[in-house]
Amino acid sequence: MNPPRYPASSVTPTQGNLFRHGRSMSNDGPNAVAGPREGLQAPFRDGRDGRSLSNANPIFGPRGSSLAQGPPPGSFSSDLKTMTMPRSGTPRTENGPFFADYRPREDEKTSEQRQMELRDQINKETKIKIGSENLLEALTSKNVKQAREQRTRVEAELGSSNRKIIELTSCLEEEIERSKRPKTPPRNRLSAIFQGSPMTSPRKNDGSSQDDAAAADESESPTFILSEILQALESEGMQPDYYVERANRLVDLFKKYPSLKYDLAWPIFGLRVQTMLLSQSREVVAAGYRVTRHAIADRRSLQTIRRLNTDELVMLSLVKESKANIEREQALKFVRAFLDVKGGIYEISNTVLRTVVAIAEHHEDRLRNISTLTLLELLVRIPAQVVGAGGMAPITQALLDGNYPGSESLVSAMLFLFDKPNDREYLKSCHELDAAFTVFTDPIAGHSSEEKLKASASVIIALLHSWPGLFIVSHDGFAAIKGLLLSLAYPSLLVRDLILDIVNAVLKIKAPSWSSSFLAGRRLTTYGRVANLTKEASAPSNAVSSDENGEEPISLNEHYTALLLSILVQSGLTQALSKVVQEEDAESALRRKATLLLGEMLNMANRLLPQRFSANLQVLPMLLEGVGFKAANTSLSQTSMTYQIDSVSRTLYRSQAASTHAFDAITRPKQQTMATSRGFDSMKQQVDYDMDEIKFRAAVVDTQILNHANFLKWDWNLIEELVEGPLKNPKRLSEAMTGTKFLKRLLGFYRPFKYRFSDTLNTKLNQRYVRVGVSLMKTLLQSNEGIAYLWDSKFLRQLGECLSQLDRTSGFFADAPLFSNWRTSSTLTGGYFSLLGALSSDPKGLQMFERWHMINISYHIIDLWDRDDLVELLLGNMDFTIHLRVMLSKALTASHKHIRIFSTNLLRKYATQAPPSVNGLQSPSSVCEWAIRLLVTQLYDPEVEVSEVAVQILEESCHHLNNIGAPLLLRFLSTSLGYQYLDRLDYITQEMDDWFLGRNNTYVTSNPNEPSLFQERPALPPHFYRELTRTKEGCDLLQDSGHFDKFASTIRDTWAEQEDPELLMKLKGCLWAVGNIGSMELGASFLDDSDVVEWIVQIAERSQVATMRGTAFFVLGLISRSLHGMEIITEQGWVTATDYYGRSIGYCLPTTLGTLFSISFQPSPAHSLALRTKKRETPPRPMDQDAIHARVLNLVTDTVNTVLTKKAATDLNGLKTRHPEAFTSIDLYRKVRDILGRYNFHLPVRRFVLDLFNKSVIREVVLDEEDSESESVMTERPVQAARPPPV
């Protein structure tokens, strides 16, 4: 019987009760694990809502594209709030930065939100699992009796975490699959408001009535339904729910038939919309905005909507108080819909824009954050209008406050403006972002707020990871960075710790596996930590392997990191860290963290920086000045820290030497690295192999196997040494089999029916049992005695019987099979497949497979479509170089998509790294040929994902490698044979013309290394001209075409371009083409015939476009990869980093960093003066022939001044009391509206001014009624004084 499944969420007291009652929530769907109150959530429903405001975190793209996300235009939440009480009857409190009352319930969340929550839960449970494993490892060193109870509790918690991770992963996979299927819009909270009155009880058979209505809608023409709904909206005097329900049906109709909005009869439809927007019911007004938003089709429709005087209504809705949030929310969503229409941003009136600015400036408004987001999106597209409307003030204030939830978006907007000179002038001083550094450098300013410190830290990291950000912080010799590093001297532990985290994040330093133990105070010489370095490094990696020439894929990440490191070193990072390390009063963890960072920095400097920059760093003069023999006051702490730095450096070196880092193939030959590592291992194994009998017997006794039956008391480290060393000697193996019970007990530990190995929990520490088992299988297969012993053992027989329980045709069944889903994930039962994989690598092992029918059983396991875990374990551990290829071929073609992708990935190690022959039976070339043949077959797979994986592996197998499959043909150019083959197909000339005429520009937009905002820089994509210049034939073709000369001419003529997007794109395309050509030794000869490198250096040092300088910087790095290119760059005053053999590694820096960042910060004088004049301009006194009207206009103008606001408000109330007829004038209202659209008023002031006028005035303005009708209506209504705004 399968063990019970538990809810995959963090354990809380409520869940503890669920566990005690044995309830299972495994089938409740992803939302069952979303939080600690699963039992109170609504049932799970599929659906995809509009954008959620709480997740609004834009990534700015090119100008002209909208930053908004989500299907509905302008949507950041598709929910509206009813006026009824919550279901629990208890009012909700206002939490969160905005819209706490409008948070979507579980059933209303989009698929992306649910996936994000599931991933967060998985990360949380993974951290719990890692912590439990570390605690379990620490308990192994204690006395067994004392730690038994603690181990039991920790193992129980670890098992619970494993089960939760499995359940959450399963839910995540189901949610991903569900999101790919077409969905029916759910009945969400919006429907709850717009379909039925909150005062009436639910109707019976509501579902059936809705189904009937839906069926009726299907059978009728959408045009007929539209006219029917519009006719129903003509009815007057109905309840609000009547109009809301019809509006909801109208929205559903637009969603179902999007083309219907292009054929609307706007005279009729517009009148219905106006009527709804003028309603006294907030819900009806909100429904009107929603209908209008979904009726937007293009810019022409926006212009039609604006002719309905919607600007007046939007302004009035936005300035209302918080009790009308349902209406204000939909009004703001309507404004945001303009951003999703091409050219729609130019239809946003200045009055509406200034109203949004007023909301963003109002700290207590719940729409503040989304208004700030709207301003950010508009700022990168129409910066002049936003700056003119005062939009920079709330953006800058949000950055200073540090409480905006998406601080990276604030930085993105300002960096976008800084990139080009004409946009740079919209920033006041180009130093607005320096406020992020002030929080750290000024102890009084922000050290008391941890939240503000962390927000500022994220801003700093974002700044330093972008080219415009680097130029911003480069002023005054990187004074901001120097001040930040000097802040390490402050006594605040939080500040110092965050600064160290900033440096780690900026340099992209990945913490090694042993860092947590080192920071906790443990020594690095602990056997387990150091011994695991080689094992961790030997784990399979998906990194692209180097080719036969030792060339690695070009990744410009480290080139950019080298630049950042040189900036930090020049700003005093070494001195600052040395001071922290020397402080005796500092926290031990902080000193160790600084020590680890200093060691990483020294190692990185030695690896990335030119010798001119890194030579003096390794001396550490500040740290060693007191350690000399002649020093009178030698510091013991300095000596201790020096030893720790040395220990960290040696440990980092060992971990890097054992890993397959990309730099290893550059700094030293691959063969030398492998030979060195093999040399050390073989020397140790040879010593162990020749161990004499006395030492061997003593070692066997020390393992405690002969003394204790409890495997927890065995010395597994010593057992692993014996298995991998002395037991490979036939004499020692024979003695272990016949002279003692060592081997019998050890192999008996792995027997399935003894339930020792198979019942052990699957933890990081317990994986050593699997490693020892694999080594034992390999050792026994190396001698005839071992093969015979394994042949006659009960181990394989019992294992074959357990596997047969999975075969439906075997006749073996069990109520609780050993390889059940729960056991394979929570215990080491899955480790049996690792042991079988060791046996499958030897022909004798395959004979044992055949004896116990394991091969046939394996074929039947692959047919289990409901046990992907078993199929992955089986395929992932088997060796397919000898006999089991048919098994893999079956999985590649006859399984479902997930297994086919997994199986295709398994071919990578056979296609890219040919394994050695096994006992002379298999040649490496035939193995590679077989793998490539299977990969070619996978190209015909019906699923695109499978074909993409196959193409990627085939690229790697070509040792060099946007429609799928094109990179393969491009890689054929790297050899003369491939060139001749493609030339016969007439592929080369066509591809060359294609690249020259347009693909160069496409390469710029698709290149992930192209400088932009907050973008990772993976391996450089293949470039046609780079592959072409790998052969002599390709260079001759390039010479005859004259393309290189045209590239150089374009760079020479347009290097100073600043604004034209097309010319900038063309210039970048030419730069990448020249860089890729110059990176090859044969292509570098083209650089001699022109002065193109000199012009590229000029772009890198003098261009006024920040990202253009970044492109030139990366291109110079590409050119420096060739020997001839490195010589040319050296002549231009740049230095290149080289390896120990003097070969360039592709990282170059200017001799003086200041030349790279000498960019002009001065804005355009004419435009800057116009902006400043406009900002300092005093509001003119509006003129009016009517004295009362003129007085009102003057007082409204006075409310702009905060000093005069209170007095002006009092006078306006007095005027309304004495002259109420003045506030019924449409002409006066329009003049007041013009004043509101010309100057920045605070939100309460805007509300106060607009509340002075009667609502009928707005109706007349919107419907264009006569003034006489307005006056007759106003005389019938009492006049009330407006409430003055708060001061």
Side-chain angles (χ1 to χ4, degrees):
M1 182 177 64
N2 292 332
R5 297 171 65 114
Y6 300 102
S9 59
S10 58
V11 178
T12 62
T14 303
Q15 294 165 350
N17 296 333
L18 294 175
F19 287 144
R20 288 193 291 271
H21 291 293
R23 296 182 183 177
S24 173
M25 300 173 65
S26 59
N27 297 323
D28 289 344
N31 287 325
V33 298
R37 300 187 63 185
E38 292 88 347
L40 301 180
Q41 301 297 332
F44 172 70
R45 301 175 184 170
D46 285 344
R48 186 186 297 270
D49 290 339
R51 180 186 323 154
S52 172
L53 178 60
S54 60
N55 288 333
N57 190 7
I59 299 177
F60 288 91
R63 178 177 300 176
S65 62
S66 176
L67 304 182
Q69 303 174 1
S75 174
F76 53 85
S77 173
S78 63
D79 305 325
L80 293 179
K81 178 178 179 294
T82 61
M83 302 309 296
T84 57
M85 297 294 289
R87 192 173 298 179
S88 61
T90 305
R92 301 177 184 175
T93 58
E94 297 184 4
N95 298 324
F98 44 77
F99 285 3
D101 288 348
Y102 300 96
R103 289 192 299 266
R105 299 194 306 264
E106 293 296 325
D107 58 340
E108 296 172 352
K109 295 182 179 178
T110 63
S111 179
E112 291 79 2
Q113 290 174 323
R114 290 192 292 268
Q115 292 178 26
M116 182 179 63
E117 291 182 355
L118 287 171
R119 290 190 177 96
D120 291 341
Q121 289 289 332
I122 291 174
N123 292 335
K124 180 179 179 181
E125 295 299 334
T126 302
K127 292 178 181 179
I128 295 176
K129 175 184 176 182
I130 295 174
S132 301
E133 289 176 347
N134 293 335
L135 181 57
L136 199 60
E137 182 178 355
L139 291 175
T140 57
S141 60
K142 294 186 178 182
N143 186 284
V144 178
K145 294 183 178 179
Q146 296 177 354
R148 180 176 303 169
E149 184 179 352
Q150 294 179 353
R151 282 178 58 88
T152 303
R153 291 200 301 268
V154 174
E155 288 177 351
E157 181 65 25
L158 187 57
S160 175
S161 297
N162 286 328
R163 288 189 294 272
K164 293 173 185 176
I165 291 174
I166 294 170
E167 184 121 358
L168 285 166
T169 304
S170 176
C171 292
L172 180 60
E173 293 175 354
E174 293 176 1
E175 182 60 36
I176 293 174
E177 289 296 329
R178 187 183 296 110
S179 65
K180 296 178 181 179
R181 298 194 297 265
K183 297 181 173 68
T184 302
R187 180 182 171 91
N188 53 17
R189 183 152 58 95
L190 188 61
S191 303
I193 294 176
F194 287 154
Q195 297 184 14
S197 172
M199 303 303 294
T200 59
S201 59
R203 294 174 296 177
K204 295 182 179 181
N205 302 325
D206 184 63
S208 61
S209 63
Q210 289 184 5
D211 294 339
D212 296 341
D217 290 347
E218 289 286 348
S219 61
E220 295 178 353
S221 168
T223 306
F224 176 77
I225 299 174
L226 175 63
S227 60
E228 184 182 38
I229 297 174
L230 294 179
Q231 185 176 1
L233 289 175
E234 290 183 7
S235 303
E236 298 181 359
M238 305 298 291
Q239 292 294 323
D241 295 331
Y242 174 85
Y243 301 103
V244 170
E245 184 178 359
R246 270 66 183 175
N248 190 51
R249 288 184 57 195
L250 199 55
V251 171
D252 292 339
L253 191 65
F254 286 145
K255 289 182 178 180
K256 191 172 183 179
Y257 303 99
S259 60
L260 194 61
K261 64 181 71 174
Y262 293 93
D263 300 324
L264 286 176
W266 279 102
I268 301 175
F269 181 80
L271 183 60
R272 303 296 178 270
V273 168
Q274 286 179 321
T275 304
M276 294 183 67
L277 295 179
L278 290 170
S279 173
Q280 299 298 320
S281 172
R282 301 188 184 99
E283 285 79 8
V284 175
V285 176
Y289 283 122
R290 185 166 177 261
V291 169
T292 310
R293 171 162 56 90
H294 284 85
I296 296 175
D298 48 24
R299 186 174 179 180
R300 179 175 299 179
S301 64
L302 282 178
Q303 294 171 348
T304 304
I305 291 173
R306 288 195 62 198
R307 284 195 291 269
L308 300 175
N309 296 315
T310 53
D311 291 346
E312 314 287 342
L313 298 167
V314 169
M315 179 182 62
L316 290 172
S317 296
L318 290 177
V319 300
K320 289 185 178 181
E321 296 180 348
S322 58
K323 60 184 179 181
N325 268 336
I326 184 174
E327 177 182 340
R328 301 177 70 227
E329 176 185 345
Q330 287 300 312
L332 189 53
K333 290 166 80 173
F334 172 70
V335 174
R336 288 179 58 82
F338 285 53
L339 278 64
D340 296 328
V341 178
K342 184 178 180 180
I345 54 176
Y346 303 106
E347 298 299 329
I348 300 178
S349 66
N350 202 34
T351 303
V352 173
L353 182 58
R354 287 188 182 271
T355 305
V356 176
V357 171
I359 297 174
E361 290 178 333
H362 195 53
H363 290 268
E364 300 176 358
D365 200 293
R366 298 172 65 186
L367 293 179
R368 182 193 179 197
N369 287 332
I370 193 58
S371 298
T372 304
L373 176 62
T374 305
L375 292 178
L376 290 173
E377 297 182 20
L378 291 172
L379 181 63
V380 299
R381 301 170 68 180
I382 47 172
Q385 288 85 335
V386 176
V387 173
M392 286 299 297
I395 294 175
T396 306
Q397 188 61 42
L399 183 65
L400 293 175
D401 294 341
N403 54 9
Y404 184 73
S407 55
E408 291 83 359
S409 60
L410 296 172
V411 181
S412 300
M414 293 191 178
L415 294 183
F416 186 88
L417 294 181
F418 183 84
D419 186 29
K420 297 179 182 178
N422 286 357
D423 292 339
R424 200 175 301 149
E425 62 192 13
Y426 295 116
L427 300 175
K428 292 182 179 179
S429 62
C430 296
H431 302 323
E432 287 87 350
L433 294 172
D434 287 351
F437 294 88
T438 307
V439 180
F440 292 93
T441 56
D442 187 357
I444 304 177
H447 286 191
S448 58
S449 174
E450 178 179 356
E451 197 174 302
K452 189 174 183 179
L453 282 170
K454 291 182 178 180
S456 299
S458 64
V459 170
I460 294 174
I461 295 171
L463 277 174
L464 297 181
H465 279 169
S466 65
W467 280 101
L470 272 183
F471 286 100
I472 287 177
V473 301
S474 66
H475 64 88
D476 298 331
F478 297 98
I481 297 180
K482 291 179 181 179
L484 179 70
L485 296 177
L486 290 176
S487 299
L488 281 171
Y490 288 136
S492 174
L493 178 62
L494 176 62
V495 170
R496 304 173 86 180
D497 189 66
L498 279 177
I499 293 176
L500 294 181
D501 289 340
I502 290 173
V503 177
N504 273 291
V506 166
L507 297 179
K508 299 183 183 299
I509 296 177
K510 185 179 180 181
S513 59
W514 44 266
S515 61
S516 57
S517 299
F518 175 72
L519 296 178
R522 297 181 62 182
R523 296 180 60 188
L524 291 178
T525 53
T526 304
Y527 174 80
R529 294 295 180 184
V530 179
N532 288 336
L533 291 178
T534 304
K535 294 183 176 61
E536 292 176 2
S538 62
S541 174
N542 292 333
V544 180
S545 58
S546 61
D547 62 10
E548 64 274 9
N549 298 322
E551 181 180 335
E552 287 289 328
I554 302 175
S555 175
L556 305 183
N557 254 337
E558 291 192 334
H559 193 188
Y560 189 78
T561 303
L563 176 62
L564 289 175
L565 180 60
S566 61
I567 293 173
L568 291 173
V569 169
Q570 181 177 328
S571 301
L573 176 61
T574 309
Q575 293 83 350
L577 292 178
S578 299
K579 289 181 180 180
V580 176
V581 167
Q582 295 179 69
E583 289 185 12
E584 298 182 2
D585 298 335
E587 290 285 338
S588 175
L590 183 68
R591 295 176 63 189
R592 283 180 167 264
K593 191 172 185 178
T595 302
L596 180 60
L597 178 56
L598 187 58
E600 290 273 12
M601 187 206 71
L602 294 176
N603 177 58
M604 188 177 292
N606 183 53
R607 186 164 53 87
L608 300 179
L609 294 184
Q611 189 174 3
R612 178 169 184 172
F613 288 86
S614 63
N616 297 328
L617 292 179
Q618 309 299 330
V619 183
L620 294 177
M622 294 194 62
L623 189 62
L624 300 178
E625 61 184 1
V627 189
F629 291 105
K630 297 182 181 181
N633 53 348
T634 302
S635 172
L636 181 61
S637 64
Q638 289 176 325
T639 306
S640 174
M641 289 298 105
T642 304
Y643 169 76
Q644 286 194 10
I645 293 174
D646 178 66
S647 178
V648 167
S649 300
R650 284 187 282 108
T651 308
L652 288 172
Y653 176 78
R654 285 197 296 271
S655 60
Q656 289 175 355
S659 64
T660 55
H661 195 275
F663 187 77
D664 291 335
I666 303 176
T667 55
R668 55 177 178 271
K670 185 177 181 181
Q671 293 82 2
Q672 178 182 352
T673 304
M674 296 176 61
T676 304
S677 60
R678 285 198 303 265
F680 288 118
D681 293 340
S682 61
M683 288 174 58
K684 185 178 184 302
Q685 291 178 4
Q686 184 65 31
V687 173
D688 295 339
Y689 183 87
D690 297 333
M691 182 181 293
D692 58 27
E693 183 178 354
I694 298 177
K695 290 183 179 179
F696 176 71
R697 288 183 176 179
V700 169
V701 173
D702 291 341
T703 60
Q704 303 298 321
I705 289 181
L706 304 178
N707 301 331
H708 300 283
N710 186 358
F711 67 92
L712 295 176
K713 297 182 179 181
W714 298 353
D715 189 346
W716 286 95
N717 293 329
L718 182 55
I719 294 173
E720 188 174 8
E721 290 183 3
L722 291 177
V723 171
E724 295 180 351
L727 288 181
K728 292 182 178 180
N729 189 332
K731 293 182 180 180
R732 304 284 85 84
L733 181 61
S734 178
E735 183 178 348
M737 290 188 298
T738 59
T740 65
K741 294 184 179 181
F742 173 80
L743 197 59
K744 179 181 178 181
R745 291 189 175 180
L746 180 58
L747 191 59
F749 166 73
Y750 292 96
R751 283 167 53 184
F753 291 157
K754 283 199 172 184
Y755 296 105
R756 304 173 75 185
F757 174 79
S758 58
D759 274 1
T760 304
L761 291 178
N762 183 13
T763 64
K764 183 179 179 181
L765 177 63
N766 291 341
Q767 287 297 320
R768 57 182 177 177
Y769 304 142
V770 181
R771 294 196 300 268
V772 173
V774 172
S775 300
L776 181 61
M777 296 297 108
K778 293 179 179 179
T779 299
L780 292 176
L781 289 174
Q782 291 183 6
S783 63
N784 294 330
E785 294 84 357
I787 293 173
Y789 187 85
L790 194 58
W791 183 277
D792 297 332
S793 67
K794 298 180 181 179
F795 166 71
L796 290 178
R797 184 179 64 187
Q798 294 182 5
L799 187 56
E801 182 178 345
C802 294
L803 288 173
S804 64
Q805 297 171 1
L806 303 171
D807 187 0
R808 298 186 178 96
T809 63
S810 64
F812 288 90
F813 300 97
D815 294 335
L818 183 72
F819 291 98
S820 64
N821 195 352
W822 176 81
R823 294 184 67 91
T824 54
S825 60
S826 301
T827 66
L828 293 181
T829 303
Y832 281 119
F833 290 97
S834 299
L835 276 62
L836 292 176
L839 293 175
S840 67
S841 62
D842 191 274
K844 297 294 183 181
L846 291 177
Q847 293 178 11
M848 300 178 193
F849 273 40
E850 293 176 355
R851 181 187 182 189
W852 301 110
H853 309 288
M854 292 185 187
I855 295 180
N856 294 335
I857 295 173
S858 299
Y859 284 113
H860 294 155
I861 290 177
I862 295 178
D863 293 333
L864 299 177
W865 284 53
D866 58 340
R867 291 302 305 275
D868 289 353
D869 56 331
L870 278 181
V871 178
E872 290 181 1
L873 285 172
L874 177 64
L875 297 176
N877 289 283
M878 292 296 108
D879 191 332
F880 299 102
T881 57
I882 303 177
H883 180 70
L884 303 178
R885 297 180 179 179
V886 178
M887 182 189 304
L888 183 59
S889 300
K890 180 179 180 180
L892 287 168
T893 56
S895 301
H896 55 83
K897 183 178 72 173
H898 175 72
I899 296 299
R900 297 204 306 273
I901 294 176
F902 179 82
S903 305
T904 306
N905 278 312
L906 290 178
L907 292 172
R908 176 179 274 107
K909 64 179 179 181
Y910 301 105
T912 59
Q913 299 176 1
S917 60
V918 181
N919 294 340
L921 298 178
Q922 189 68 45
S923 63
S925 60
S926 61
V927 174
C928 183
E929 181 181 353
W930 157 77
I932 291 178
R933 189 181 302 113
L934 289 181
L935 286 170
V936 172
T937 304
Q938 293 305 97
L939 295 177
Y940 299 95
D941 194 280
E943 295 290 343
V944 179
E945 292 88 342
V946 180
S947 302
E948 288 177 348
V949 174
V951 168
Q952 182 183 1
I953 300 174
L954 286 172
E955 277 190 67
E956 300 171 14
S957 66
C958 290
H959 303 299
H960 303 288
L961 312 149
N962 267 291
N963 42 0
I964 192 169
L968 288 175
L969 293 176
L970 192 60
R971 300 305 187 180
F972 288 172
L973 293 172
S974 59
T975 62
S976 297
L977 184 62
Y979 179 91
Q980 295 172 8
Y981 170 75
L982 295 178
D983 190 34
R984 289 195 298 269
L985 299 176
D986 198 23
Y987 169 82
I988 299 178
T989 54
Q990 295 180 12
E991 192 73 5
M992 175 178 282
D993 293 340
D994 190 16
W995 275 81
F996 183 75
L997 296 176
R999 290 280 290 281
N1000 263 336
N1001 297 346
T1002 307
Y1003 183 85
V1004 175
T1005 57
S1006 62
N1007 184 4
N1009 294 278
E1010 177 60 31
S1012 59
L1013 306 181
F1014 319 136
Q1015 195 173 48
E1016 290 292 331
R1017 300 173 180 86
L1020 195 68
H1023 198 285
F1024 173 78
Y1025 289 101
R1026 174 181 171 83
E1027 306 303 324
L1028 186 65
T1029 52
R1030 288 182 182 271
T1031 59
K1032 183 66 170 59
E1033 297 88 345
C1035 291
D1036 294 340
L1037 179 63
L1038 181 61
Q1039 181 69 37
D1040 295 339
S1041 66
H1043 287 183
F1044 185 86
D1045 295 335
K1046 294 178 182 178
F1047 293 149
S1049 176
T1050 301
I1051 294 174
R1052 189 183 305 110
D1053 296 339
T1054 62
W1055 73 272
E1057 179 60 40
Q1058 299 180 2
E1059 289 302 325
D1060 191 341
E1062 294 184 0
L1063 283 180
L1064 290 175
M1065 183 73 68
K1066 185 177 181 181
L1067 177 58
K1068 288 183 178 181
C1070 294
L1071 285 174
W1072 283 114
V1074 171
N1076 279 279
I1077 293 173
S1079 64
M1080 307 306 299
E1081 293 296 342
L1082 294 176
S1085 60
F1086 288 90
L1087 302 176
D1088 281 336
D1089 301 333
S1090 65
D1091 56 350
V1092 64
V1093 177
E1094 179 180 350
W1095 288 101
I1096 296 176
V1097 171
Q1098 191 165 354
I1099 292 175
E1101 295 180 352
R1102 296 178 56 187
S1103 176
Q1104 292 300 309
V1105 181
T1107 52
M1108 184 63 70
R1109 289 200 184 193
T1111 302
F1113 176 79
F1114 287 141
V1115 168
L1116 290 174
L1118 283 177
I1119 294 176
S1120 69
R1121 296 178 69 89
S1122 62
L1123 179 61
H1124 193 61
M1126 182 176 64
E1127 294 175 355
I1128 297 177
I1129 287 178
T1130 304
E1131 294 174 358
Q1132 298 298 326
W1134 285 50
V1135 290
T1136 305
T1138 58
D1139 60 8
Y1140 299 112
Y1141 302 96
R1143 298 173 300 189
S1144 172
I1145 58 177
Y1147 311 143
C1148 62
L1149 296 172
T1151 307
T1152 305
L1153 290 178
T1155 60
L1156 186 62
F1157 297 100
S1158 57
I1159 198 168
S1160 174
F1161 284 93
Q1162 299 299 329
S1164 174
H1167 192 82
S1168 177
L1169 181 60
L1171 286 177
R1172 293 194 183 99
T1173 303
K1174 188 174 182 179
K1175 292 175 183 177
R1176 293 195 304 262
E1177 183 181 12
T1178 302
R1181 296 298 175 181
M1183 302 299 294
D1184 195 287
Q1185 296 179 356
D1186 191 312
I1188 302 299
H1189 288 187
R1191 177 60 176 163
V1192 170
L1193 295 176
N1194 289 333
L1195 290 175
V1196 170
T1197 306
D1198 287 342
T1199 57
V1200 178
N1201 191 333
T1202 55
V1203 178
L1204 304 176
T1205 299
K1206 187 174 182 180
K1207 183 178 184 303
T1210 304
D1211 294 344
L1212 284 171
N1213 272 328
L1215 281 176
K1216 183 174 183 179
T1217 304
R1218 296 190 301 271
H1219 306 283
E1221 68 283 353
F1223 294 93
T1224 63
S1225 171
I1226 296 180
D1227 181 62
L1228 178 62
Y1229 169 80
R1230 287 173 175 166
K1231 291 182 179 180
V1232 170
R1233 180 199 58 190
D1234 293 339
I1235 295 175
L1236 294 177
R1238 195 178 303 141
Y1239 306 107
N1240 288 336
F1241 292 81
H1242 293 299
L1243 185 63
V1245 176
R1246 286 180 174 271
R1247 183 185 307 125
F1248 165 76
V1249 171
L1250 292 175
D1251 285 345
L1252 291 172
F1253 294 89
N1254 196 285
K1255 302 302 179 185
S1256 61
V1257 177
I1258 309 299
R1259 182 181 183 88
E1260 295 169 8
V1261 172
V1262 172
L1263 300 179
D1264 294 326
E1265 296 179 355
E1266 295 296 332
D1267 291 348
S1268 58
E1269 297 179 4
S1270 169
E1271 294 174 358
S1272 62
V1273 171
M1274 289 302 300
T1275 54
E1276 298 175 0
R1277 299 188 179 184
V1279 178
Q1280 297 179 353
R1283 186 175 59 185
V1287 179

